[in-house]
Amino acid sequence: MARTVRAAVCFAPREPLEVIEVELQDPGPGEVLVRFLASGLCHSDLHALEGTIDERFPLVAGHEAIGDVVAVGDGVRDFRAGDRVMAFLVPDCGTCPFCQSGRTNFCRQFPARRQNPRTVFAYRGQPLQSFMGIGSFAEMAVVPADQLVKVNPEARVDQACCIGCGVTTGIGAVLNSARVPPGASVAVFGVGGVGLSVVKGAKLAGAGPIIAIDRNPARRDVALAAGATHFILANGGEDPVAQVMAITGLGADFAFECVGLPELAAQALAATNPCWGMAVNVGLMPAGARLSAVPFHLLTGRHWTGSFMGGAKRADVARYVDMFVAGEFHLDDLVTHRLSLDEINRGFAMMRSGEAVRSVILF
Ligand code: CXF
Ligand code: ZN
């Protein structure tokens, strides 16, 4: 029997969200009804709401979420009511060549579901889209079982929810995609939620020096607390690339672009060691963006690559939650604001202004 839940709905790009009662259908075959406990506000939600990534409207955004299973649909064997679960936006069909490769999680179901999304919410008879098949800016949602993973229920939900996207994107970029070894020098261009998580990943890897670069001076203390050994303020003064060169001598062994700006990605590449440096694009660039770099920067042997969702699978998310519970990394610096669903527009305003590193909706 369908139920009514409160959800923050965006009716058209760039319009404020409206918190209203919507209809939520029962879980169908392979689906799970989840009651959310906490949902982080991720930059991709903002991109979706502003129409800079291709989304259909009306939209229930939200994807960085933790909650409890309420009920499961036919054929769901891996979950039952009461399980603590995290949502993950990349499915894990287990059968496509990417899932079977054992190296990447870029499951073919990801583009397939984006092309043919199913709808589980409705308002006055009108279907509402769920961002990335999740739609966690709602008290409850129906999510495909292969976009959920059981996680340690001891993790505090107000912080752990961020492991569902931003933290896994950052830590995974370092540990899975780049495989940064101990002692490597790392430069992180942009230390918002994802960049800070890259810093945390670099610290976990035993890297050093870890150089954080941001144009927001308020990010200095957070970056240093997260494990950065140096902070460069990119305020139009001395060139950050030259500063990275001065600190590392030969250029960083690894550089991560965490904002989503093509020019910053070229800077990250230039800041790496000319012979073996690796630059990793982590930030989501606007649709239509193009990269360009000085060809000689690649000719000498640099590697230029990217990392999508930290190259992680659902199982990695559960592992990172265990590491968080074990105190291997903390998220006190990442989650700066806790809000109710009714305050969600304030959360996005603080994301735009840079006041918040991460805001989390608590249900
Ligand atoms: C998303 C960005 C939009 C495309 C899918 C991956 N990453 C994190 O939120
Ligand atoms: Zn996200």
Side-chain angles (χ1 to χ4, degrees):
M1 203 184 51
R3 62 205 44 72
T4 302
V5 298
R6 295 180 79 236
V9 180
C10 184
F11 284 91
R14 291 176 298 285
E15 286 198 359
L17 307 190
E18 291 180 41
V19 179
I20 52 176
E21 302 260 326
V22 303
E23 297 275 297
L24 173 63
Q25 69 187 38
D26 278 338
E31 294 179 334
V32 177
L33 175 64
V34 180
R35 182 191 306 280
F36 294 118
L37 297 165
S39 180
L41 270 57
C42 172
H43 263 92
S44 309
D45 294 310
L46 183 64
H47 288 310
L49 298 171
E50 291 186 337
T52 48
I53 47 180
D54 206 13
E55 286 305 317
R56 300 167 211 205
F57 289 81
L59 178 68
V60 180
H63 60 285
E64 192 178 75
I66 193 165
D68 287 332
V69 170
V70 177
V72 301
D74 287 346
V76 175
R77 308 258 170 271
D78 298 339
F79 301 97
R80 59 176 177 198
D83 284 344
R84 178 64 43 87
V85 288
M86 188 85 81
F88 193 55
L89 51 77
V90 186
D92 189 348
C93 75
T95 57
C96 76
F98 296 125
C99 284
Q100 293 225 319
S101 76
R103 291 167 304 160
T104 170
N105 76 318
F106 195 67
C107 173
R108 273 195 177 162
Q109 282 298 315
F110 179 80
R113 287 180 197 175
R114 290 210 23 92
Q115 238 165 20
N116 285 309
R118 76 209 200 299
T119 54
V120 299
F121 294 110
Y123 178 64
R124 294 183 176 160
Q126 182 185 20
L128 310 175
Q129 306 293 322
S130 306
F131 185 52
M132 299 288 161
I134 300 170
S136 58
F137 294 154
E139 293 166 320
M140 289 197 238
V142 168
V143 180
D146 66 2
Q147 285 183 243
L148 293 172
V149 58
K150 249 192 259 188
V151 293
N152 191 332
E154 284 170 35
R156 51 182 291 184
V157 296
D158 63 332
Q159 296 183 341
C161 63
C162 299
I163 299 174
C165 183
V167 172
T168 292
T169 298
I171 290 185
V174 176
L175 302 181
N176 288 330
S177 306
R179 297 180 184 271
V180 170
S185 53
V186 171
V188 187
F189 287 77
V191 279
V194 170
L196 269 189
S197 303
V198 168
V199 170
K200 289 171 195 294
K203 188 177 171 200
L204 283 169
I210 302 170
I211 307 159
I213 302 127
D214 204 292
R215 60 178 189 191
N216 181 351
R219 293 286 152 90
R220 175 189 297 273
D221 291 347
V222 237
L224 296 178
T229 56
H230 300 71
F231 180 83
I232 296 172
L233 182 64
N235 60 354
E238 198 191 336
D239 177 19
V241 175
Q243 294 189 64
V244 172
M245 287 294 170
I247 295 166
T248 56
L250 298 175
D253 296 316
F254 295 87
F256 295 85
E257 194 285 340
C258 302
V259 181
L261 295 173
E263 319 82 69
L264 206 59
Q267 273 190 31
L269 179 70
T272 58
N273 178 297
C275 295
W276 59 77
M278 178 183 278
V280 187
N281 290 351
V282 181
L284 179 70
M285 310 222 172
R290 290 288 176 274
L291 292 170
S292 75
V294 176
F296 193 73
H297 284 169
L298 290 170
L299 210 66
T300 55
R302 288 177 174 92
H303 300 263
W304 202 6
T305 185
S307 175
F308 183 72
M309 296 305 295
K313 298 173 188 296
R314 290 181 294 161
D316 295 305
V317 174
R319 199 158 48 79
Y320 297 153
V321 173
D322 285 336
M323 287 164 64
F324 171 61
V325 171
E328 290 178 42
F329 64 89
H330 69 87
L331 296 174
D332 304 330
D333 48 358
L334 189 89
V335 178
T336 50
H337 296 78
R338 291 159 183 80
L339 307 170
S340 68
L341 187 61
D342 293 294
E343 296 173 300
I344 193 162
N345 288 309
R346 186 159 77 82
F348 281 110
M350 290 191 292
M351 182 187 287
R352 283 193 191 94
S353 71
E355 182 183 341
V357 181
R358 215 47 153 201
S359 295
V360 165
I361 303 295
L362 293 176
F363 292 96

